[in-house]
């Protein structure tokens, strides 16, 4: 079984969110077998900054769905969307 790298866009629900704290909470919420291989930040508009973690997950049924669901459950997250996916 291989692995998949996915860049996921996580939009905070407010520009006042502490992004470092949000990054920690996203890392803690990961399902078993998934890991974050770095974060990028993207200035969206009006002071709002999106987090773009690159997540490594096993290449099995479900793909990034478990990670997306866990990120949705993190306090302070408005939306989660997969930007890019590739096998590694």
């Amino acid at each position: 079984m291989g692995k998949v790298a996915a860049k996921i866009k996580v939009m905070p629900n407010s520009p006042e969110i502490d992004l470092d704290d949000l990054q920690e909470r996203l890392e803690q919420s990961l399902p078993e077998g998934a890991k974050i291989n770095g974060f990028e930040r993207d200035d969206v508009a009006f002071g709002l900054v999106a987090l773009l973690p690159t997540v490594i997950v096993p290449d099995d049924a479900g793909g990034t769905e478990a990670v997306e669901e866990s990120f949705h459950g993190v306090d302070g997250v408005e939306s989660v969307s997969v930007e890019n996916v590739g096998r590694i």
Side-chain angles (χ1 to χ4, degrees), residues 14-16 43-49:
S14 165
E16 286 82 36
D43 293 328
V44 180
F46 306 109
L48 190 62
V49 178

Side-chain angles (χ1 to χ4, degrees), residues 22-67:
L22 182 56
Q23 276 185 209
E24 284 183 32
R25 288 182 292 176
L26 291 173
E27 288 175 357
Q28 293 168 358
S29 75
L30 285 173
E32 188 174 329
K35 68 176 187 172
I36 292 179
N37 193 34
F39 279 91
E40 294 177 25
R41 294 183 182 194
D42 182 28
D43 293 328
V44 180
F46 306 109
L48 190 62
V49 178
L51 291 176
L52 296 162
T54 299
V55 181
I56 310 296
V57 294
D59 184 18
D60 60 2
T64 62
E65 286 180 25
V67 173

